[in-house]
Amino acid sequence: MSKPTIVVMEGDQTGQELLEEALRVLSPDVTGYDVAFQRFDLSLGNRRKTNNQVVYEAAAAMRESRLGLKAATITPETKGDVGSPNAILRKEINGTVIVRTGRRIPGVQPPVAVSSPISVVRMAVDDAYGAKEWREETADGEYAFRTEKISRAICKGVAKYAFQHAKRLNAKVFGGPKFTVSPIYEGMLKEEMDAAAPQYPDVAYEPQLIDATYALLLVKAGEPLVIPALNRDGDCLSDLVLQMFGSIAGSESILLALDDNFQPNVVMAEAPHGTAPSLFGKNVANPMAMILAGASLLGYQDDKAAQTVSQAIYDSTLEAVMEGTRTSDLGGKSTTTEFTDEVIRRVRAKL
């Protein structure tokens, strides 16, 4: 059997720096687990040079290997430029859901009283992203319009995976879209949530409108929750949830393409944060999310050795933070490389 291959998608600024830190941890010299890396340069300059062809090539490689690790990349704001590679990657691998889980960071006092994990399971495609937009001048002034779409298939994937994920975490499926104001559009996701609930009778189900979800998070933060969401709602919500635990750099972001049984068949992991240009070149950014992203890929392998390495990286990262190795965003003074060095030391000791 050929060894597993991780498609590595290089990025920009601090995103690229943190990717290299994650690859240091995943190195077979550290873990003893033989994995190959197939690299693609998705930096803004190369995306422009290739007119995004490199993004399509990376997506094709991911469909083959089923594993991808992506650095944060710059999305240009100019209309007609190469845009975001994420939209292309999600479409090309038939991405269904994006999962981001906030969890307690040992030794770090969160800004609110959270104790149990909170996962946001959002649509990976459509909704406000890629919508057709235009403006029109009328006698009453200028108007802006947008045409969005969601599909029954993606709604079903989000709902089913949310319940499966909640069952694994012994969590409650909580929240939902604004189905009262938008019963046709947003109501489609609520219909699929309601349809999935009876299939998982041992999973608690408490649907809420999205605005109530935000409000109630502050009083329900003591119990494990899984929140199914529309694409844009989930994008905003996951940033809030991660910051509730102390840092947006404290957890990985997972893009999943699901098969007919709603099981992952392509997995792409990344950090949930951007390229952090203000931190570029300073060796102070927190590599925790990227290190955990790399670990998560091995956890999806149907291979006990890979799963053992994945758990060792998770445990080593959290133990390092608990025992005082922290970057400035976590209240410490460790540099980026010092943080990674400590994780590597602990991983080697465990394995």
Side-chain angles (χ1 to χ4, degrees), residues 24-33 343-345 347-348 351:
R24 287 176 58 205
V25 178
L26 288 173
S27 170
D29 291 340
V30 172
T31 67
Y33 184 72
V343 172
I344 289 173
R345 184 187 72 79
V347 170
R348 281 183 165 142
L351 297 175

Side-chain angles (χ1 to χ4, degrees), residues 3-6 26-28 31 33-37 67 298:
K3 60 185 174 182
T5 298
I6 296 175
L26 288 173
S27 170
T31 67
Y33 184 72
D34 195 11
V35 61
F37 302 114
L67 299 173
L298 299 183

Side-chain angles (χ1 to χ4, degrees), residues 75-95:
T75 299
E77 298 180 3
T78 306
K79 184 178 180 180
D81 207 329
V82 288
S84 168
N86 289 338
I88 297 172
L89 293 170
R90 293 169 189 174
K91 181 178 180 182
E92 289 297 306
I93 69 167
N94 294 316

Side-chain angles (χ1 to χ4, degrees), residues 187-318:
M188 185 180 284
L189 175 57
K190 174 61 161 49
E191 290 166 9
E192 290 301 328
M193 290 164 57
D194 291 345
Q199 301 171 36
Y200 299 87
D202 51 345
V203 175
Y205 176 43
E206 186 179 334
Q208 297 284 349
L209 300 174
I210 184 62
D211 49 344
T213 301
Y214 275 102
L216 291 171
L217 271 178
L218 299 180
V219 296
K220 284 188 171 287
E223 58 183 304
L225 303 173
V226 174
I227 307 173
L230 297 169
N231 200 345
R232 179 161 160 175
D233 285 349
D235 196 357
C236 300
L237 188 61
S238 57
D239 282 3
L240 170 69
V241 164
L242 295 183
Q243 196 61 53
M244 285 171 60
F245 287 84
S247 174
I248 196 173
S251 182
E252 69 281 7
S253 177
I254 307 294
L255 168 66
L256 300 173
L258 303 180
D259 63 21
D260 293 339
N261 294 316
F262 303 98
Q263 297 299 307
N265 60 9
V266 182
V267 183
M268 187 187 88
E270 59 184 328
H273 54 71
T275 59
S278 65
L279 304 180
F280 179 47
K282 298 179 180 179
N283 197 27
V284 297
N286 185 355
M288 184 175 177
M290 277 303 301
I291 291 172
L292 295 180
S296 71
L297 289 177
L298 299 183
Y300 280 95
Q301 287 286 92
D302 187 17
D303 177 349
K304 184 168 180 162
Q307 293 170 3
T308 298
V309 171
S310 174
Q311 192 62 53
I313 296 173
Y314 267 102
D315 292 345
S316 296
T317 303
L318 297 179

Side-chain angles (χ1 to χ4, degrees), residues 36-52:
F37 302 114
Q38 184 179 5
R39 301 181 74 131
F40 293 85
D41 180 3
L42 267 61
S43 65
L44 178 59
N46 200 45
R47 281 156 34 222
R48 283 172 169 163
K49 180 180 177 181
T50 65
N51 195 27
N52 274 334

Side-chain angles (χ1 to χ4, degrees), residues 162-199:
F163 276 91
Q164 291 177 6
H165 192 59
K167 185 173 182 178
R168 286 191 293 271
L169 296 182
N170 195 25
K172 173 189 289 184
V173 173
F174 176 83
K178 192 79 170 180
F179 52 87
T180 53
V181 172
S182 178
I184 301 299
Y185 183 89
E186 302 198 23
M188 185 180 284
L189 175 57
K190 174 61 161 49
E191 290 166 9
E192 290 301 328
M193 290 164 57
D194 291 345
Q199 301 171 36

